[in-house]
């Protein structure tokens, strides 16, 4: 009986979109990352209905339930005020996702547009944008974020502002390098000779070739934004209590270590869980788009 040879999808003449999905689905880490983030999004969106004590996100105090260990009634135990840590952790994930949406929703478009303009236009525009980007990148990110946060009231909005002031520079630098190399391609010159204007060339010719690196960079950056925001809250410059934030929950619980270890371990594990999901998904997207680096 003749052996049956299984053809690789590349040998079947399949579409580029199917090939990308094939590479993504064949990456177990990427699939796990997607499932992790899907679970986080479901928990965050439906937190008021999925948590056993949704009112514990506020300033409720129950001295009889202080520092209870994890059990059937309180899966992650309770904190110093008797509040359910599982409920507050789930709502803390919602705060983290809002921070990611706010920061990357502003910094990615701003950095992308500035990078495209600098890479294509050149001249004094390139020198101005590159110089500003280099100045911002020269500043220690955490120090600058702490300085900005110290001047503003500790709220979620101000934490977004502090991080956004830094984050656009990384995307501007990345897109600048990509668009600079694409701008010298023959098809760009052909579009220019055909009468295409700068807007058309930037957003119809160059930008589509940057989508892959933007997607990978944004996904990986989401994990760093969550860690950055948790660090600010841990140091007292992030979200203001009693709003549940994973970083501030770890800071509150560390004074009771090691006796009440769950007050630090559970919100800390939540930070690890969501950042792991973004990193695994980012690696999967990098394989799907076949992006180097």
């Amino acid at each position: 009986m003749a052996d049956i040879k299984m053809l690789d999808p590349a040998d079947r003449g399949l579409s580029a979109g199917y090939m990308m999905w094939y590479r993504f689905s064949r990456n177990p880490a990427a699939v796990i990352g997607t499932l992790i983030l899907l679970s986080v999004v479901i928990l965050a969106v439906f937190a008021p209905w999925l948590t056993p004590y949704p009112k514990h996100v506020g300033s409720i105090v129950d001295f009889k339930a202080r520092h209870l260990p994890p059990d059937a009634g309180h899966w992650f135990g309770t904190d110093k005020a008797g509040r359910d840590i599982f409920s507050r952790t789930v709502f803390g994930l919602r705060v983290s996702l809002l921070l990611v949406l706010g920061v990357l929703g502003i910094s990615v478009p701003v950095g992308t547009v500035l990078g495209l303009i600098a890479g294509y236009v050149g001249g004094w525009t390139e020198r101005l944008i590159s110089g500003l980007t280099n100045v911002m990148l020269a500043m220690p990110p955490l120090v600058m974020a702490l300085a900005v946060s110290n001047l503003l009231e500790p709220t979620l909005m101000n934490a977004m502002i502090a991080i956004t002031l830094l984050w656009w520079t990384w995307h501007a630098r990345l897109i600048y390098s990509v668009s600079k190399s694409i701008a010298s391609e023959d098809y760009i010159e052909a579009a220019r000779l055909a009468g295409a204007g700068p807007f058309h060339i930037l957003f119809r010719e160059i930008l589509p070739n940057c989508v892959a690196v933007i997607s990978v960079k944004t996904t990986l950056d989401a994990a760093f934004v969550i860690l950055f925001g948790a660090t600010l809250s841990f140091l007292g410059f992030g979200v203001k209590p009693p709003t549940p934030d994973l970083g501030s929950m770890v800071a509150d619980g560390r004074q009771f270590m090691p006796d009440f270890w769950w007050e630090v371990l559970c919100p800390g594990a939540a930070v690890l869980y969501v950042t792991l999901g973004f990193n695994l998904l980012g690696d999967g997207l990098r394989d799907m788009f076949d992006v180097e680096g």
Side-chain angles (χ1 to χ4, degrees):
M1 181 176 181
D3 294 335
I4 299 176
K5 181 181 179 181
M6 297 299 293
L7 293 177
D8 187 86
D11 299 326
R12 304 176 191 172
L14 299 177
S15 65
Y18 183 87
M19 285 298 301
M20 290 191 296
W21 169 249
Y22 177 79
R23 286 195 293 266
F24 182 85
S25 61
R26 296 284 290 181
N27 188 331
V31 175
I32 294 174
T34 303
L35 294 176
I36 289 175
L37 293 181
L38 182 61
S39 67
V40 170
V41 171
I42 292 175
L43 285 173
V45 172
F46 300 102
W49 299 277
L50 296 179
T51 54
Y53 302 95
K55 294 183 179 181
H56 284 197
V57 300
S59 55
I60 292 178
V61 178
D62 184 1
F63 290 109
K64 295 182 179 179
R66 295 175 70 241
H67 304 302
L68 293 179
D71 57 22
H74 302 280
W75 295 349
F76 289 179
T78 61
D79 61 9
K80 62 181 180 181
R83 296 170 299 191
D84 182 65
I85 295 178
F86 174 76
S87 300
R88 291 181 60 80
T89 298
V90 172
F91 277 91
L93 290 173
R94 169 184 281 191
V95 172
S96 296
L97 292 182
L98 288 176
L99 182 65
V100 169
L101 291 176
V103 171
L104 297 182
I106 298 174
S107 60
V108 173
V110 170
T112 298
V113 171
L114 292 177
L116 286 172
I117 294 174
Y120 174 72
V121 176
W124 67 267
T125 304
E126 176 185 0
R127 292 192 293 271
L128 177 62
I129 296 177
S130 298
L132 177 61
T133 302
N134 291 333
V135 169
M136 297 296 292
L137 289 174
M139 300 179 184
L142 183 58
V143 174
M144 183 175 178
L146 289 175
V148 174
S149 299
N150 192 40
L151 296 175
L152 304 174
E153 182 183 0
T155 62
L156 177 62
M157 181 62 66
N158 291 336
M160 290 181 184
I161 294 174
I163 301 176
T164 303
L165 288 175
L166 304 168
W167 226 267
W168 67 268
T169 57
W170 302 102
H171 290 267
R173 171 64 64 85
L174 175 64
I175 301 305
Y176 164 74
S177 62
V178 176
S179 61
K180 184 73 172 178
S181 62
I182 295 176
S184 60
E185 294 289 339
D186 292 338
Y187 73 92
I188 298 296
E189 182 64 24
R192 188 184 299 113
L193 293 175
F199 185 88
H200 174 90
I201 293 176
L202 283 174
F203 296 101
R204 297 294 298 273
E205 303 293 342
I206 298 179
L207 181 58
N209 291 282
C210 300
V211 170
V213 293
I214 292 174
S215 301
V216 175
K217 174 66 174 173
T218 301
T219 306
L220 295 175
D221 273 359
F224 288 103
V225 169
I226 291 175
L227 289 174
F228 213 87
T231 301
L232 289 178
S233 297
F234 180 84
L235 297 175
F237 296 97
V239 179
K240 186 177 181 180
T243 302
D245 180 86
L246 300 177
S248 60
M249 291 174 66
V250 173
D252 291 340
R254 64 173 178 165
Q255 59 184 310
F256 303 109
M257 286 287 289
D259 295 332
F260 308 122
W261 49 267
W262 54 88
E263 298 185 24
V264 172
L265 179 63
C266 293
V271 174
L272 174 63
Y273 182 73
V274 66
T275 54
L276 177 64
F278 277 114
N279 281 317
L280 293 177
L281 178 59
D283 289 339
L285 291 177
R286 182 160 48 197
D287 291 341
M288 184 178 75
F289 290 119
D290 197 18
V291 176
E292 297 181 359

